[in-house]
């Protein structure tokens, strides 16, 4: 068994990246798959969304710049089959250390290798920027998902992501495939939503998930409660959409593993 490693990437804040990572991880864990969620953000938003508190040292940062193993930082969440490696404030300092290392972009890839036989799926919630940590996540991944709010200016982030991934591929350090663009409905008018959707589908075609996450006030409520929407409010419209996304993602996942 080799875990499929997938990163959630979008340099634009408020894109739904963490919400997508948490609910996809929790939803797939509810289907009896063994799942690990790595919170690579110093704000630890994914950890907090799962009801886990940020801890003082030692932390994930130590594993990335020292000889510590990632396995030592795994915590079990309240969701059966879902484990978490929490984010921490000191991840900010790690970026400088990794940047100065000769093979700093491959640090997470080396560390994560020992965990690939323990899990079915490993998800990485990246910072909202293209810093060294995000680049590490992409280099360690088989695939990446780009959450996309259906609003003006959000589509510009797509080209940025593609450019960065292409530059890493040219360096021979990244082989991640675009798993899909995940669309989120916002409060914009229907004409705006249709225009953006048509543009995204036209350019990326099969790389756009069929599932669209609807606007749902329950999304914010679940974050405040520190519980994934798919398990805490399973009958909400967004939770039902995330469950469909889980099925769609699992169906497609064998394709990306071929590139391991």
């Amino acid at each position: 068994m080799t875990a499929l490693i997938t990163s959630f990437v979008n340099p634009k804040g408020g894109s739904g990246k963490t919400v997508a990572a948490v609910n996809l991880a929790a939803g797939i864990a509810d289907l009896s798959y063994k799942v690990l969620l790595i919170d690579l953000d110093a704000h630890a938003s994914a950890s907090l969304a799962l009801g886990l508190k940020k801890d003082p040292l030692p932390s994930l940062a130590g594993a990335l710049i020292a000889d510590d193993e990632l396995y030592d930082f795994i915590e079990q969440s309240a969701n059966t089959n879902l484990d978490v490696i929490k984010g921490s404030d000191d991840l900010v300092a790690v970026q400088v250390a990794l940047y100065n290392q000769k093979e700093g972009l491959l640090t997470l890839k080396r560390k994560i290798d020992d965990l690939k036989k323990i899990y079915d799926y490993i998800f990485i919630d990246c910072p909202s920027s293209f810093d060294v940590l995000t680049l590490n996540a992409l280099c360690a991944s088989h695939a990446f998902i780009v959450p996309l709010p259906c609003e003006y200016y959000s589509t510009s982030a797509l080209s940025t992501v593609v450019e960065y991934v292409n530059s890493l591929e040219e360096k021979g350090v990244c082989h991640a495939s675009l798993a899909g663009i995940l669309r989120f409905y916002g409060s914009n008018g229907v004409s705006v939503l249709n225009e953006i959707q048509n543009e995204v589908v036209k350019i990326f075609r099969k790389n756009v998930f069929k599932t669209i996450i609807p606007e749902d006030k329950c999304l914010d409520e679940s974050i405040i409660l520190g519980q994934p929407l798919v398990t805490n409010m399973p009958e909400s419209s967004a939770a039902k959409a995330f469950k469909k996304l889980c099925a769609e993602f699992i169906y497609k996942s064998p394709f990306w593993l071929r590139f391991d």
Side-chain angles (χ1 to χ4, degrees):
M1 178 180 71
T2 299
L4 172 66
I5 305 170
T6 307
S7 291
F8 291 78
V9 184
N10 192 319
K12 183 178 182 297
S15 64
K17 177 176 55 60
T18 296
V19 168
V22 167
N23 282 284
L24 192 61
I28 291 179
D30 284 345
L31 296 174
S32 299
Y33 291 97
K34 189 67 177 174
V35 180
L36 173 66
L37 176 60
I38 300 177
D39 188 349
L40 208 57
D41 192 348
H43 296 295
S45 299
S47 306
L48 296 173
L50 286 169
L52 301 174
K53 296 180 180 180
K54 288 202 295 185
D55 291 332
L57 299 179
S59 71
L60 169 60
L64 294 175
I65 59 176
D67 294 329
D68 299 335
E69 300 296 331
L70 283 182
Y71 184 85
D72 296 331
F73 300 94
I74 294 174
E75 285 191 33
Q76 186 175 2
S77 74
N79 294 65
T80 305
N81 295 322
L82 175 58
D83 292 340
V84 183
I85 296 180
K86 297 189 298 188
S88 57
D89 293 329
D90 52 350
L91 281 170
V92 174
V94 170
Q95 298 183 40
V96 177
L98 294 182
Y99 183 81
N100 292 325
Q101 291 181 13
K102 183 178 180 180
E103 295 186 349
L105 294 182
L106 299 176
T107 301
L108 182 59
K109 179 179 176 63
R110 292 194 299 269
K111 294 285 186 176
I112 213 170
D113 273 345
D114 293 336
L115 303 179
K116 289 163 63 175
K117 294 183 179 180
I118 302 176
Y119 296 95
D120 298 301
Y121 294 92
I122 297 176
F123 295 112
I124 306 173
D125 185 31
C126 299
S128 296
S129 63
F130 266 105
D131 55 21
V132 177
L133 292 174
T134 299
L135 299 181
N136 257 268
L138 285 168
C139 291
S141 297
H142 299 104
F144 62 97
I145 291 174
V146 184
L148 181 73
C150 287
E151 60 185 22
Y152 281 130
Y153 307 117
S154 63
T155 54
S156 61
L158 290 176
S159 57
T160 303
V161 173
V162 172
E163 288 174 5
Y164 269 97
V165 173
N166 288 340
S167 66
L168 292 173
E169 288 180 345
E170 291 174 0
K171 295 177 181 178
V173 294
C174 176
H175 305 286
S177 300
L178 175 57
I181 296 165
L182 176 59
R183 293 165 290 173
F184 280 80
Y185 271 171
S187 57
N188 296 290
V190 175
S191 60
V192 174
L193 294 174
N194 288 338
E195 182 180 340
I196 294 172
Q197 284 195 71
N198 290 338
E199 178 184 355
V200 172
V201 173
K202 181 180 178 180
I203 296 173
F204 292 94
R205 300 186 181 183
K206 293 182 179 180
N207 291 122
V208 180
F209 284 113
K210 293 180 181 179
T211 304
I212 302 174
I213 309 302
E215 182 181 17
D216 191 337
K217 64 179 182 180
C218 292
L219 283 170
D220 291 332
E221 292 178 14
S222 67
I223 293 174
I224 294 173
L225 292 171
Q227 298 176 345
L229 185 69
V230 291
T231 54
N232 185 45
M233 304 175 187
E235 296 305 314
S236 65
S237 58
K240 291 179 179 179
F242 271 117
K243 290 178 182 179
K244 290 182 179 179
L245 176 66
C246 290
E248 184 178 358
F249 180 81
I250 290 171
Y251 176 77
K252 295 180 177 179
S253 60
F255 170 77
W256 302 306
L257 273 176
R258 293 188 301 172
F259 298 96
D260 190 21

